[in-house]
Each structure stands twice: as C-alpha cells, then as structure tokens.
Amino acid sequence: MSVAHGEVAQQEAPRGQVAREQQVIERIERVRRARPRLREERITMAHGAGGKATQTLIDAVFLPRLGNPVLDRMEDAAELVAGGTRLAFTTDSFVVSPLFFPGGDIGDLAINGTVNDLAVRGATPMFLSAGFILEEGFAVEDLERVVASMARAAAAAGVQVVTGDTKVVQRGGADGCYINTAGIGTMIPGVRLAAASARPGDAVLVSGPIGEHGITVMLARGELDIDADVTSDTAPLSGMVSALLHAVPGVRALRDATRGGVATVLNEIARAADVSVVVDEAAVPVSPQVRGTAELLGIDPLYVACEGRMVAVVEPDGVQPALEVLRAHPGGEQAAIIGRVAADPPGLVLLNTVFGGTRIVDLLVGDPLPRIC
Amino acid sequence: MSVAHGEVAQQEAPRGQVAREQQVIERIERVRRARPRLREERITMAHGAGGKATQTLIDAVFLPRLGNPVLDRMEDAAELVAGGTRLAFTTDSFVVSPLFFPGGDIGDLAINGTVNDLAVRGATPMFLSAGFILEEGFAVEDLERVVASMARAAAAAGVQVVTGDTKVVQRGGADGCYINTAGIGTMIPGVRLAAASARPGDAVLVSGPIGEHGITVMLARGELDIDADVTSDTAPLSGMVSALLHAVPGVRALRDATRGGVATVLNEIARAADVSVVVDEAAVPVSPQVRGTAELLGIDPLYVACEGRMVAVVEPDGVQPALEVLRAHPGGEQAAIIGRVAADPPGLVLLNTVFGGTRIVDLLVGDPLPRIC
C-alpha cells in the first residue's frame, strides 16, 4: 500500500476543513481499492511489527489459504464452540530482546500476553500451553528464572500451564529463548465484545499510561545513551476486565494495546466498525519519562507497545461507571477517556493535537521498536 | 542420571536369565533413587531430543515450578474440563531442518503433529492455533508454500486454524521459519486412554513401518552421501484413531511415535504403568531402506521419529479386531503386533533380538537425529 504513515493534514480548524475532509475521503478510496499483496520477496522486520506490513502479510499470505469464518474475524482471540461450550482460543510467540528487563521478563510477558488476549475477548482465561524454543548453550539458570516468572504470573492471573513442549536449536539458531503460549478461556455469559461493534457516540478509554513496556525494553538493550526510570507495565488484565464487564453493560469492545501500541488498536477498531476514532492528544496518559524518551527516539508514544493496558470502547451511558471501575482497580488509577467514536471519516483515526491541529494517525508500515514482545 | 543407553544384557535365553533379572532389578533401584536434577549449566541439543535429557529438564525445571495435576500427567495432550465440556489441549513447536523434505514440509508437519497428539489422547481434533517465528530475509515464496501445505493438511485432518501470530527476528535469529501449533479437541465420549493403564497381558501394536520421517529428514540435509528412496510418513492419525476407538472397546493407550521414536514411547508406557514392555524385534515393521540407512548411520530404527505412526496398547480380547481395523485403514496396511506388556521388570522395555538375545531398550540420553520435527 502506498499511503505513508504520518500523512499530515495539520492546520488550524476550521480553516481548510473542507479540503482536509476531501483529502481524507480520497485516501479512504485509495485504501479500499488497494488489494492486499506482498510486494516484498523476502520477510522484513516490518512484517512482524503488528502494523500495516503485518496486516498485508496476513491478508496476502495467511487468510487466502487458511481463512475460515473464525480466523477471518481477526480479533485478539478466536471465539469457538466446542461440545456446547463457548471458548476463546489465542496464541502468541514471544521473542523479546533482552529476555530480562525492568519490571518483567519473557516469562511473565508470555503468560500475561495470552491471558490478556483472552480477557479482552470477554473470556475468563483458564488453561495455557507453553512451547519453548531454546538455543543450545542457553544458561539453565536463566531458564529457571524464566519458568519461575511464568509460574508467578500464571498464579497471579489464575491460570494453569497444562501442556508444554521444548525444542532446542543449534547455537545461532535462536536468540537464547523463544516462548509460544496458547490459551483457552471460557466466554463470560452474555458478553459479546467486538471491535466491529463500535458506534458513533461511544467513548474511547485507556486503562492507564501508555508505552511503558516498549520504552523499557528499548532502554534495557543498553544501545542508547538514555537513562530513564521506566518499568514495563506487563500485567494480567483479566481481573480488571472481569470487574468492568460485570459492572458496566455498555462495553462494546476491548483490546490490549501491544505491538503497534494504542494507535494500531484504534486503527483496527476504526476499520472493523467502519467508523472514525477521534483522539484528544492532551487526554492520553503518558508518563513524563516515556514522553521524554519517546521524543529523544523520535517515536510517537501512541505507537509504543504496552503489555498491561487496554483500550475500551464504551456506550455513552456506560462511560462514567466504566471510568470509575477502571480507576478503582489496581493498575487503573490513571485510566482516562481519550476520545470518541464518530461516523466520518470511516476507517480512520484522527488526532486532535495539543497544538490545536488535526492529523491522521495511520497504521505504521515499519517498526520503530522491533522485538519488544 | 548415570545409566547409559544401550546397556546390553544380551545372551542366549534362558541362560543367564536370573543374572539378567537381578541386573534389571538393581538398575530400577538406581533409577528410582536418582532424583531428577540438571547437571548441565547450559542447554544442550539433547535437552530437546525427547529422551532422557528432555525428561530430566521437565522433571528438574518445569514440573517443580509449573506443575499441577493436569500438567503432571505428561500425556501427549492435557485433558481439561471447560464449561462442562471435556477437552484435550496440546502444543508443539516445529524447528525441522530442512524446511522441505520428500513427502512433506514444516507446514503439514506442524498441523499433523498437533492433530496426532490430540487424536492419540482420544479426542477429535477441532481447532488449531499457528504461531510463526520468521527470520528476516526468509523467502515469501517459501512461506506461501508452507502455509498452503498447512491448509491442505488441516483440510485433510478436518481441523481449522482459527488464531495465529507472526513474529520476525533479525537475520541469524532463527533458521528461516519456526512454527508452533496448539490444538483443541473434544474428548470422544466414553473413551479413557492413558499410558498408565497398560496391564500385563496387553498387546503392543504399531500402525505401520517405523522411522521413515526421521531418516527422510536426515537424508534431505544432503550432508550424508547416502541415496535412499525414503519418504516422510507425516500424516494425520485422527481418522485411524477414530475408526479404532469406535470398533474396539479394549484400547488402553495410544501414542504417536515422534521424537525418540517407538523406543521412547514404549519406555514412557512402561514407566507410567509400572509394567514391562517386551518387544519382538523381528515383528517390528521397518522398510529395507530405513533399515539400511539406519545401519549406515549407526542408529537403531526404534529410536527414529515417525510423524504418522502410533503405538497402541490393547487388551487381549481386542488385539485381532484392532489389527484388522488398523490394516483396513489407509496407512495402516503394515500394522503389526510388536510385543506385549508384562509385569516384570516394571518400568523397563526389553527387546528380544533377532539373534535370540534380550536387551534393555532404554531412553536415549543424547540425540542421534536433531531437529527432525
């Protein structure tokens, strides 16, 4: 696709309003006409970034061959019926580098990541699998540390690791340790969450300050001469989701903001529901450390991964109760309403900047922060 | 553990019978006294071989931390109850090298491997996840080939890939493509299969000639100057298992003979049920090509992986019907009774060799054929 990220339509509103809307409408048409195909002959880091290149890879390579009504929904977890029971099922591989970072490691990340994908689908996470790909020469002590961390995270989230697998590849065949987790949860009765159900007038909330995980991992690599007091936000969201869904009937959709950050999640919602999401930049909670580091790195915090934060789309009536529930829950103290769903322009995310302008927040093509999960 | 593989007690029977049994009893005591612990400070290829080192890794690192009543059963798949439905759940990562080989590739291997782990647990495979770890620079054409192969294998086994994930690691961080699949199946009503339920007098069957997958992959690497007309046996076992379980009520346990081959599976059964498994070497179906190549490589075909063969433990009354069902099923034409379950010596596998002797078939410590799945 030829539309670059960050295409700017920044101007004083309402001056140029008509021109901007025209430009947006034309862009939507361009996107719609574009048939997904992979122009690259070889896989690039961008294909794993969770943004536009990943979506194209899925649309061009995976869906045409493996597609089925369940897979095609492209939610964080698939919803299934097995033997009369409604289940959610999801998988994630973790290749984070480094393996250990302030606030967490690949072990709790692998548990929380899958727990969260189940939780935001409206399921109670129950059973996880764990597949390890270890590099020959990996320190057993490090493996023990990782497994202990998984055990703590599983206990905290109330899930059990019930099946596993270990493969070892030769030195140079993996970066120490990769972990895949898959997870099964039972759908909470009466709950139907879907990005596609967002409606104009709904509010968009985030459950806490964004970007802490991605910035922490980036700094933990030690390649940048930046010292900031940041800690990964890796945490299970299942408790918070359960509290929210039981208290507030008007929750339409939940998404955890991992690879690609809040910006990517909002784009997925806008596209799935064919609505616009309008974000108020000043309302987005970002810690000064994350903001400062992101600025030094030239990255917009909206694109930086969290591993314990979610985006919620809530009906107008549910907004205040939802905010109260989130803020009352540990980890949700800084929950905030960051924007709203609008009808036009469908499929796009618009940001009202702190400078008073408006710009399109697109999916990224490349990956400013590779291997953060 | 200090007991080496291949410890030989080969002699003319019944001469030396008493001495052999004494030796066996002492060995069992040694194994029983040995507390699992990892003597190595770093992961070796053997830890991923599915044999003794893998078991020690599981016993020393994973079970003490992640252990729970479901995981501790250590079957090919975990049996769960979710929302009142009995489910099987399993995972496997695939790191086979090369990715493409005669008769299959990493794609159908990844589907069939997980389908088979569910099937031999007595479940109907239904839903699979697929997690890809791709190396930067991997050819998109190869990925398309792998995914197409997964799609064909999924259709053949009657399962759907319902959720997925793609990560990309830098050049040198993976060997082209690793795939993890996890799978969910519904337990066939009334069926309870467990290695632990093998009883003296039961017969041991294999569903076809052994070792073809492992030998094929080994030769496909092109490192050996051996030319043999061998093709991987990768195939779904779910149809055969379903036919068997519906026709024969006396099936006690099923296992697909992957990493570590039939010998490893038989050891797991002997240990789980605290029985002996006595194998008649002459009865084990091995193709001349596999036998010849294994001989040149100095490997016992009993340890060579299959990816579409299973071992069945069947009550005396069910043996002939089971053999008939297996032989009538595509891929089962060469099914054979290869041995029987005995009471003593508990925990051990004995092989009556073609030379008239008897030797212990132990778990391997090392890995003669790394990365065959």
Side-chain angles (χ1 to χ4, degrees):
Chain A
M1 293 199 237
S2 60
V3 183
H5 156 249
E7 190 173 301
V8 173
Q10 193 169 326
Q11 47 227 319
E12 297 297 295
R15 264 186 42 164
Q17 184 86 15
V18 175
R20 182 166 60 76
E21 287 191 356
Q22 185 58 34
Q23 188 185 2
V24 159
I25 288 163
E26 279 168 18
R27 188 172 159 273
I28 295 166
E29 282 309 304
R30 283 204 308 278
V31 170
R32 290 238 167 97
R33 276 198 307 272
R35 292 244 217 89
R37 67 197 173 81
L38 227 53
R39 291 195 307 192
E40 301 85 2
E41 288 185 3
R42 302 204 164 265
I43 295 294
T44 67
M45 295 302 292
H47 289 123
K52 194 171 286 188
T54 303
Q55 285 219 347
T56 309
L57 181 72
I58 292 168
D59 292 349
V61 176
F62 294 116
L63 283 186
R65 292 168 182 84
L66 295 172
N68 55 62
V70 181
L71 182 61
D72 287 352
R73 270 181 221 137
M74 299 309 298
E75 289 282 342
D76 284 318
E79 191 187 321
L80 316 169
V81 179
T85 299
R86 280 173 70 217
L87 299 174
F89 182 35
T90 190
T91 190
D92 254 326
S93 298
F94 295 84
V95 298
V96 65
S97 167
L99 298 174
F100 303 95
F101 46 81
D105 58 46
I106 191 171
D108 49 29
L109 206 60
I111 298 292
N112 291 335
T114 287
V115 161
N116 292 348
D117 280 343
L118 294 171
V120 296
R121 191 76 166 98
T124 305
M126 296 185 69
F127 304 108
L128 265 58
S129 66
F132 294 84
I133 298 176
L134 305 177
E135 185 184 15
E136 181 186 20
F138 185 56
V140 170
E141 201 181 332
D142 285 344
L143 179 61
E144 288 171 337
R145 220 175 126 192
V146 166
V147 176
S149 166
M150 292 177 81
R152 280 192 302 274
V159 296
Q160 290 185 316
V161 177
V162 294
T163 185
D165 175 59
T166 307
K167 294 291 189 307
V168 181
V169 294
Q170 288 92 342
R171 226 173 274 269
D175 198 356
C177 170
Y178 300 149
I179 302 177
N180 175 286
T181 50
I184 298 175
T186 46
M187 298 298 294
I188 301 173
V191 171
R192 299 261 173 198
L193 301 174
S197 63
R199 292 284 169 275
D202 291 348
V204 178
L205 290 78
V206 294
S207 65
I210 68 171
E212 291 173 358
H213 174 74
I215 293 294
T216 301
V217 170
M218 203 63 201
L219 293 181
R221 289 186 194 151
E223 293 161 359
L224 308 163
D225 198 21
I226 304 175
D227 206 21
D229 188 19
V230 201
T231 303
S232 168
D233 47 48
T234 177
L237 288 167
S238 39
M240 184 185 278
V241 170
S242 172
L244 180 65
L245 293 178
H246 283 101
V248 182
V251 179
R252 306 256 205 200
L254 299 173
R255 285 275 171 130
D256 60 331
T258 56
R259 269 186 304 181
V262 169
T264 300
V265 163
L266 296 180
N267 267 280
E268 288 166 0
I269 292 168
R271 286 167 190 218
D274 208 28
V275 294
S276 163
V277 176
V278 185
V279 177
D280 181 6
E281 189 173 27
V284 180
V286 186
S287 76
Q289 294 86 345
V290 166
R291 188 180 302 283
T293 309
E295 210 160 275
L296 285 170
L297 295 169
I299 303 171
D300 185 338
L302 278 173
Y303 290 100
V304 179
C306 320
E307 289 289 341
R309 307 288 182 220
M310 63 179 178
V311 170
V313 179
V314 183
E315 287 179 14
D317 285 353
V319 179
Q320 281 310 319
L323 196 61
E324 280 161 29
V325 170
L326 293 179
R327 287 191 173 162
H329 203 277
E333 298 83 358
Q334 296 181 59
I337 302 166
I338 63 166
R340 61 184 172 81
V341 178
D344 293 306
L348 289 192
V349 178
L350 300 180
L351 184 75
N352 293 324
T353 71
V354 287
F355 305 108
T358 301
R359 64 178 176 90
I360 296 172
V361 178
D362 202 352
L363 285 177
L364 289 193
V365 174
D367 191 358
L369 298 175
R371 295 188 53 192
I372 44 72
C373 65
Chain B
M1 293 199 237
S2 59
V3 183
H5 155 246
E7 190 174 301
V8 173
Q10 191 170 323
Q11 45 226 320
E12 298 298 291
R15 269 187 38 172
Q17 185 86 17
V18 175
R20 181 166 60 76
E21 287 190 356
Q22 186 56 33
Q23 187 185 1
V24 159
I25 287 162
E26 281 170 15
R27 186 168 163 278
I28 295 164
E29 282 309 305
R30 283 206 307 278
V31 170
R32 290 238 167 94
R33 277 198 306 271
R35 293 247 216 89
R37 66 198 174 80
L38 225 53
R39 291 194 308 193
E40 302 85 0
E41 287 184 3
R42 301 204 165 262
I43 295 295
T44 68
M45 292 303 292
H47 289 123
K52 194 170 285 188
T54 303
Q55 285 218 348
T56 310
L57 181 73
I58 292 168
D59 292 350
V61 176
F62 293 115
L63 283 186
R65 294 170 180 83
L66 294 173
N68 55 61
V70 181
L71 182 63
D72 286 351
R73 273 183 217 139
M74 298 308 298
E75 290 281 344
D76 284 317
E79 191 187 321
L80 317 168
V81 179
T85 300
R86 281 174 67 218
L87 299 175
F89 183 35
T90 190
T91 190
D92 254 327
S93 297
F94 296 84
V95 298
V96 65
S97 168
L99 297 174
F100 302 95
F101 45 81
D105 58 47
I106 191 171
D108 49 29
L109 207 61
I111 298 292
N112 291 334
T114 286
V115 162
N116 292 348
D117 281 343
L118 294 171
V120 298
R121 191 77 166 99
T124 304
M126 296 185 70
F127 303 108
L128 265 60
S129 65
F132 294 82
I133 298 176
L134 305 177
E135 184 184 14
E136 182 186 20
F138 184 57
V140 169
E141 202 181 331
D142 285 344
L143 179 62
E144 288 172 334
R145 220 176 127 192
V146 166
V147 176
S149 168
M150 294 179 80
R152 280 192 303 273
V159 297
Q160 289 185 317
V161 177
V162 295
T163 184
D165 176 57
T166 306
K167 294 291 190 308
V168 180
V169 294
Q170 287 91 343
R171 226 170 274 267
D175 197 355
C177 170
Y178 301 148
I179 302 177
N180 176 285
T181 49
I184 298 175
T186 46
M187 298 299 292
I188 300 174
V191 170
R192 298 261 173 200
L193 301 173
S197 62
R199 292 286 170 273
D202 290 349
V204 178
L205 291 79
V206 295
S207 64
I210 68 172
E212 291 174 356
H213 175 73
I215 293 294
T216 301
V217 171
M218 203 61 199
L219 294 181
R221 286 184 198 155
E223 294 162 359
L224 309 162
D225 198 18
I226 304 175
D227 205 20
D229 188 19
V230 201
T231 303
S232 168
D233 48 47
T234 176
L237 288 167
S238 39
M240 185 186 275
V241 169
S242 171
L244 180 66
L245 294 177
H246 282 102
V248 182
V251 179
R252 306 257 207 201
L254 298 174
R255 285 273 173 130
D256 60 332
T258 58
R259 269 188 302 181
V262 169
T264 300
V265 163
L266 297 179
N267 267 281
E268 288 167 0
I269 292 169
R271 288 168 189 215
D274 209 27
V275 294
S276 164
V277 176
V278 184
V279 178
D280 182 5
E281 189 175 26
V284 180
V286 187
S287 76
Q289 294 87 345
V290 167
R291 188 179 302 285
T293 309
E295 212 160 88
L296 285 169
L297 295 170
I299 304 170
D300 185 337
L302 278 172
Y303 291 101
V304 179
C306 319
E307 289 289 342
R309 307 289 182 218
M310 63 178 177
V311 170
V313 179
V314 184
E315 288 180 15
D317 285 352
V319 179
Q320 283 309 320
L323 195 60
E324 280 161 31
V325 170
L326 292 179
R327 286 189 174 164
H329 204 277
E333 298 82 358
Q334 296 181 59
I337 302 166
I338 62 165
R340 62 187 171 79
V341 177
D344 293 306
L348 288 193
V349 178
L350 301 179
L351 184 74
N352 292 325
T353 71
V354 288
F355 306 109
T358 301
R359 65 177 176 87
I360 294 172
V361 177
D362 201 354
L363 285 178
L364 291 192
V365 174
D367 191 358
L369 298 176
R371 294 187 54 191
I372 44 73
C373 64

